Amino acid sequence: QVQLVESGGGLVQPGGSLRLSCAASGFTFSTYIMSWVRQAPGKGLEWVSGINRGGDNTGYTSSVKGRFTISRDNAKNTLYLQMNSLKPEDTGVYYCVTGWGINSPQGQGTQVTVSS
């Protein structure tokens, strides 16, 4: 049974940083492409970033390119998202998902609020 537990969200001022983590269990993490998706208040899911199995190929939506960095530690079954220079429009619930694209979240997500 796939289990994904996101953590690391919080309230941060514009320009601040957060590091999200996603602990994976119930499947062979190292064999899955992984992504982060987010949902802003009142909006649909948006794909934010993806990473291949080995961690050497990544992709980002244009609005976060240069500010966010996705990474993974296959030994720890953990996915990360380092978010710098945060903007109010980054506010939302962030989920990690298997695959590359807007796939249905299976975890509870972690809330990120960027506000002064």
Side-chain angles (χ1 to χ4, degrees):
Q1 181 181 354
V2 173
Q3 288 196 334
L4 298 167
V5 180
E6 301 90 348
S7 63
L11 173 63
V12 63
Q13 292 186 340
S17 298
L18 285 173
R19 188 193 195 202
L20 306 185
S21 297
C22 169
S25 62
F27 64 107
T28 307
F29 178 73
S30 61
T31 66
Y32 280 74
I33 294 169
M34 298 295 296
S35 290
W36 286 97
V37 300
R38 67 186 177 187
Q39 187 164 26
K43 296 188 177 181
L45 285 171
E46 175 189 24
W47 178 81
V48 175
S49 180
I51 189 167
N52 70 342
R53 298 171 185 84
D56 58 350
N57 187 27
T58 59
Y60 302 89
T61 191
S62 57
S63 63
V64 309
K65 202 170 293 185
R67 300 188 297 120
F68 290 12
T69 302
I70 190 172
S71 62
R72 66 191 297 163
D73 186 334
N74 287 338
K76 295 183 178 179
N77 291 342
T78 304
L79 180 71
Y80 302 100
L81 186 67
Q82 177 67 44
M83 306 187 297
N84 299 328
S85 303
L86 282 161
K87 304 176 180 181
E89 51 264 42
D90 295 318
T91 294
V93 180
Y94 284 70
Y95 304 90
C96 61
V97 298
T98 56
W100 191 284
I102 303 176
N103 296 318
S104 296
Q106 293 167 294
Q108 297 298 310
T110 186
Q111 175 71 47
V112 172
T113 303
V114 185
S115 174
S116 55

